[in-house]
Each structure stands twice: as structure tokens, then as C-alpha cells.
Amino acid sequence: MSAIHQNVSTSLSASTSTFLSHNNLNSLRPSHVSVAGRMSAVVICVATPSAEKTGASLLSLSNHFSILTVGATFDEAYKTNVARNENLAKLQAGYLFPEIARRRNAHIAKNPDAKVISLGIGDTTEPIPEVITSAMSKRSEVLSTVSGYSGYGAEQGEQKLRAAIASTYYAGLGIEENDIFVSDGAKSDISRLQVLFGSNVTMAVQDPSYPAYVDSSVILGQTGLFQKDVEKYANIEYMRCTPENGFFPDLSTVGRTDIIFFCSPNNPTGSAASRDQLTKLVQFAKENGSIIVYDSAYAMYVSDDSPRSIFEIPGAKEVALEVSSFSKYAGFTGVRLGWTAIPKELHYSDGFPVAKDFNRIVCTCFNGASNIAQAGGLACVSPEGIKAMHEVVGFYKENTAIIVDTFNSLGFKVYGGKNAPYVWVHFPGRSSWDVFSEILEKTHVVTTPGSGFGPGGEGFVRVSAFGHRENVLEACRRFKELYK
Ligand SMILES: Cc1ncc(COP(=O)(O)O)c(C=O)c1O
């Protein structure tokens, strides 16, 4: 990319956020306008080096495009007669990751010589183990041969990989190869699951939680409007998770919903639910006739006896399905490979199997994961691959220990870290965004403000352990300097 393009896209990814922050565009101009910016138009979307790579679907959109404004005004822009999807219009201003990118870019512009370290995004940094990449290389090479070429595969994934995932992650738990749907990642599966459930279901989320659950629910039309006073969408049950309740919701105060999103080990708090807690959750779902969507994207980070899968809990197969991913185990955030496990025992109120409907969704909305990525997945779950993934996870967990020790030594209350690559640091009585800004301005380290994960995250900052060792050590040295 030329210098000029770099400049343009850097400066304008800031305007992307400005664009997205105008939730009610109609208040800014007299009639419907399909694109927005700084009140000028003829808009060109350009791919930019992606800044922040997690968060909800709409966030991703803003990550991949910057808006170039070239002179004309909005009023001159051609407008279609298509009304904007009103559910998308409900999504809120100040999206977490674009806002972080905007602030980071502004910081870099103000401090061009600063060595900015990012412990904010939650994207992996370490190379994919060779045993895995060599399997992908081989698969890509045989695609150039007549005998080795393959086109569309099974929408559900290659049978060998489905079987290997079932036997690696669900041995003895009654999950079989045909219960596994291989995907291009957990985030896409979360959205496909929302399509599966449709607009009429109600849902609950941990508060704080990974933003994709709430945003995809809003997009599907399951929610009401955002209520600014409480920072919540109407019609979503926010299950507060705090240090006081051990980051497990008080289920006696949680209303019944159809769907319960539950992530353990949790992003962002880093806490893993215990066997007892998950047993309560399964009981709660059974009493209410709810379905748990259990996100185990960080299961391999568990280092105590917390369950790695919801299916370790007796009875869970009747009330739960599980989404998971190779992203944070093998550095597959760019390769893209995950899976969803749906037990045969999981049924709708009319007795129809959930897996059958999901199969229909997968066949309609997805054509199967990349065959090259699936070859990588198969290598991941080979004995050497599992060992290599444990080494990757072990490396990030050493980073976590360094970050935890640093904040502990400074007298902060620190949560998470033990079973997850995230450290959840408490700054009581302070705004998460203020702390984020303080850390960025004074140490040039990017973190993530807890309130971006839901109102329950206010007063916390998430520090990610995904980083090169020298960067983590340097960031911790700067934290010590700031808070000594
Ligand atoms: C809890 C959780 N679930 C799912 C994902 C998305 O994973 P994938 O890369 O497989 O889409 C993430 C990514 O950060 C995550 O934190």
C-alpha cells in the first residue's frame, strides 16, 4: 500500500467510527441517506489493514472499510427507495472496537514516535505451529492436481474432521461425529444460530459478555430499543456477573428466556464456571424449557477442574448446544475454522430436532468451511497438533501470569487469567473509558474498557494476553511506572 493510501485509510478509519456513531442519521439530514460521513459524499469504501478483529458483525463491517469523502455533499447523493433495516438502526453509537481503533489512531497521530502496544483486541499474535501449516500447504498443493482437486465439500464439514473433533473434545460425553457441524468460526455460527432461532425468541446473556451475542440478537429483531438510562436493549435478560457473585449470575433473579448465551471461560472476565455452577445453569434451563448456547472458545485455557464442555454436565444434551473454535488454540483467527455441536437429544417444543433445522440453515446459508482450513483442523486434532496447540495456549498463559502478577503487585484487584487469556482489572468507582484513556495516554498501551462488554463491565478494564512476550513485558513495565 502506498504511503498516501496508508495515510488516507489511517485517518479515515476514524471517520468510519464517526459514521457509525450517528445512529439516527435521519436527524442529521432531511431524507434517507444510504451512507454517512462528515456531511460530504461520493463515498468510496476501501479495504484497510483491519484494526480490531473481534466484536459483533456490524463492528466487522466498520473494520474492513474506511470511508473516503470526495467533495460532494450528502444532499447530492443518489438515494435508493430501500428503507434501512430498522433492527440495524437500533444498534448503538460508540461501538466498542471501532471506537478503540479511533482512539488508538488519534493517539498515534498525536504521538507519532510512540511505540504503541496493543493488548486490547484479543487477536492472536504467535505463529501457527508448523505441523498445522504444513498440512494446509499439502492440501493446497494437491488442489492443483486432477486427482487431488476437490470443490464444494459437505456443508457440515469433512467426515474425518467431524469425527476427530467429536473424539478429541467430547470423548465419553455422548457427542458423535454427526452432531458436529464444522464452520468458518464461532462468530459466524453465533449469527447462523440466531437465524436458526429467528426473531420471536427471547434471549439472556452474561453481563458483561462478548458483544456478538447481543448485537446479532438486535439485528435479528429479538430486542426492543436501546435504553440509554440503563445501557441495555429492551427484551434482553442481562445476567449480571460480578466479583461478588463469583462471576456467575444469581439465577433466582433471572427471568425466563428461550435462549441463554453462556460463555465459559468467559470473555471478558476470564472466569470459568465451576461444575456446580454449570449444573445449576442446566437445571435452570430445564425448568424453564430454555436452550443454552454454550460458547467454549477458550476451553483449552482451563487449568483447573472447571468443565471444558457443557456436555460434561449430566442432562445438558437435552438443553444445550455448544459453539467452539480453533482461533485461540492454533492461531486460526485468520485461517477461520470452528464448529458447533448439537446433540440429537436437543428438541424444540414440538419435538423437532434442533440439529435437523441447523443442518437446513447450514445448507442454505453456508457452503462448508474451506477445505484447506479443514486440513489444518485435522492436523490440529492429531496428537502432534494437540501438543502444539497446548504449547501455544501455554505461551499465552505465561503472558497472562505476567500481567496478573503486575497488577497484583500494584495493589489492584485482578480477576480471570487462570483459565483464560484475559485479565479483568478492577478500577473501582472509575469509568472504564477514563481508565482506558489514562493507560493509552500515559503508557501507549491499548486495553479494552469493560463497559464495552455491557453495563456490568463498568469500572473494569480487560487486558488481553495475546501479544509477543517482549511487548507484554514492556507493557507491564509501563503499567508499573504509571501505577507505582
Ligand atoms: C467468546 C468468543 N466467542 C467467539 C469468538 C469468535 O471466534 P471465531 O474467531 O472462531 O469467530 C470470540 C473471539 O474473540 C470470542 O471471544
Side-chain angles (χ1 to χ4, degrees):
M1 188 187 276
S2 71
I4 185 157
H5 282 117
Q6 249 164 357
N7 278 343
V8 168
S9 57
T10 305
S11 64
L12 288 175
S13 39
S15 72
T16 309
S17 185
T18 311
F19 154 50
L20 286 167
S21 74
H22 291 300
N23 192 38
N24 186 355
L25 298 176
N26 294 339
S27 67
L28 296 176
R29 63 193 69 83
S31 57
H32 295 293
V33 174
S34 57
V35 286
R38 294 200 191 109
M39 301 311 283
S40 58
V42 182
V43 174
I44 305 164
C45 291
V46 289
T48 64
S50 175
E52 304 287 346
K53 293 177 182 154
T54 58
S57 313
L58 193 62
L59 306 187
S60 307
L61 177 71
S62 68
N63 291 339
H64 297 295
F65 298 97
S66 286
I67 306 300
L68 298 191
T69 50
V70 195
T73 67
F74 269 126
D75 293 339
E76 295 165 24
Y78 172 77
K79 301 165 198 84
T80 70
N81 285 327
V82 180
R84 186 174 177 213
N85 180 338
E86 60 181 20
N87 294 319
L88 280 153
K90 286 179 199 162
L91 285 165
Q92 278 315 288
Y95 303 106
L96 178 59
F97 293 106
E99 182 60 18
I100 291 173
R102 189 189 70 73
R103 292 187 188 211
R104 186 196 54 195
N105 290 341
H107 182 76
I108 291 170
K110 223 169 92 187
N111 305 276
D113 298 326
K115 184 176 182 304
V116 172
I117 297 173
S118 182
L119 301 180
I121 303 159
D123 193 5
T124 46
T125 55
E126 301 310 295
I128 298 171
E130 211 272 332
V131 60
I132 299 165
T133 48
S134 64
M136 290 193 280
S137 305
K138 274 191 206 121
R139 183 65 174 266
S140 78
E141 275 160 26
V142 299
L143 288 175
S144 285
T145 66
V146 172
S147 58
Y149 175 75
S150 64
Y152 289 127
E155 292 88 346
Q156 305 78 6
E158 294 173 5
Q159 206 62 28
K160 248 176 120 174
L161 178 59
R162 298 173 82 189
I165 289 173
S167 63
T168 302
Y169 293 102
Y170 305 104
L173 299 179
I175 298 291
E176 287 154 12
E177 58 190 83
N178 287 340
D179 304 332
I180 305 292
F181 294 85
V182 177
S183 74
D184 55 347
K187 197 195 221 179
S188 327
D189 269 350
I190 290 162
S191 287
R192 282 191 281 265
L193 286 165
Q194 295 284 23
V195 174
L196 171 83
F197 295 126
S199 306
N200 294 327
V201 295
T202 51
M203 66 99 99
V205 286
Q206 289 151 295
D207 176 23
S209 67
Y210 178 54
Y213 314 135
V214 166
D215 281 17
S216 59
S217 177
V218 174
I219 289 169
L220 257 282
Q222 297 165 359
T223 76
L225 294 176
F226 189 74
Q227 301 164 314
K228 280 219 159 24
D229 51 340
V230 285
E231 302 269 309
K232 294 175 179 175
Y233 289 94
N235 217 29
I236 288 186
E237 189 70 30
Y238 289 77
M239 306 186 292
R240 190 54 81 103
C241 296
T242 61
E244 290 72 37
N245 62 22
F247 297 102
F248 186 79
D250 175 1
L251 295 174
S252 69
T253 65
V254 174
R256 186 209 173 268
T257 58
D258 296 309
I259 311 299
I260 302 168
F261 277 91
F262 199 93
C263 177
S264 180
N266 182 268
N267 175 11
T269 65
S271 74
S274 69
R275 202 165 298 275
D276 274 0
Q277 289 172 332
L278 290 180
T279 302
K280 287 196 183 106
L281 183 70
V282 166
Q283 254 164 16
F284 179 74
K286 207 159 254 179
E287 281 158 21
N288 287 310
S290 309
I291 293 176
I292 300 166
V293 176
Y294 190 79
D295 187 337
S296 66
Y298 299 98
M300 282 183 81
Y301 286 79
V302 170
S303 44
D304 60 18
D305 62 355
S306 305
R308 274 107 176 128
S309 163
I310 189 69
F311 303 124
E312 291 181 37
I313 308 301
K317 291 206 286 294
E318 290 169 355
V319 293
L321 58 86
E322 185 165 310
V323 293
S324 203
S325 169
F326 288 106
S327 282
K328 309 294 164 84
Y329 306 162
F332 267 28
T333 48
V335 172
R336 310 301 306 146
L337 198 71
W339 69 90
T340 290
I342 309 189
K344 289 172 282 299
E345 292 87 339
L346 187 65
H347 295 104
Y348 290 112
S349 55
D350 64 357
F352 198 82
V354 173
K356 271 201 166 175
D357 266 357
F358 192 63
N359 190 54
R360 188 73 173 77
I361 294 291
V362 162
C363 291
T364 303
C365 307
F366 183 52
N367 256 341
S370 145
N371 45 20
I372 298 169
Q374 291 191 72
L378 204 52
C380 285
V381 289
S382 68
E384 306 78 43
I386 291 170
K387 186 168 165 277
M389 287 195 295
H390 277 298
E391 279 164 16
V392 171
V393 167
F395 173 84
Y396 289 128
K397 285 177 73 166
E398 284 171 10
N399 281 351
T400 309
I402 293 166
I403 297 165
V404 168
D405 283 352
T406 300
F407 281 101
N408 272 334
S409 75
L410 293 167
F412 287 93
K413 279 239 174 337
V414 181
Y415 304 93
K418 186 162 148 215
N419 293 317
Y422 299 120
V423 181
W424 191 236
V425 189
H426 201 187
F427 291 82
R430 296 196 60 192
S431 130
S432 301
W433 276 110
D434 286 353
V435 178
F436 164 89
S437 298
E438 175 177 272
I439 293 175
L440 181 60
E441 277 158 27
K442 303 210 169 128
T443 70
H444 311 302
V445 178
V446 182
T447 56
T448 309
S451 57
F453 298 95
E458 186 55 287
F460 289 85
V461 161
R462 189 194 77 173
V463 184
S464 156
F466 293 120
H468 298 313
R469 180 62 45 82
E470 67 271 22
N471 287 344
V472 170
L473 288 169
E474 172 61 16
C476 287
R477 196 193 60 72
R478 296 183 197 170
F479 293 149
K480 283 185 177 156
E481 193 62 27
L482 174 62
Y483 291 116
K484 67 186 174 211

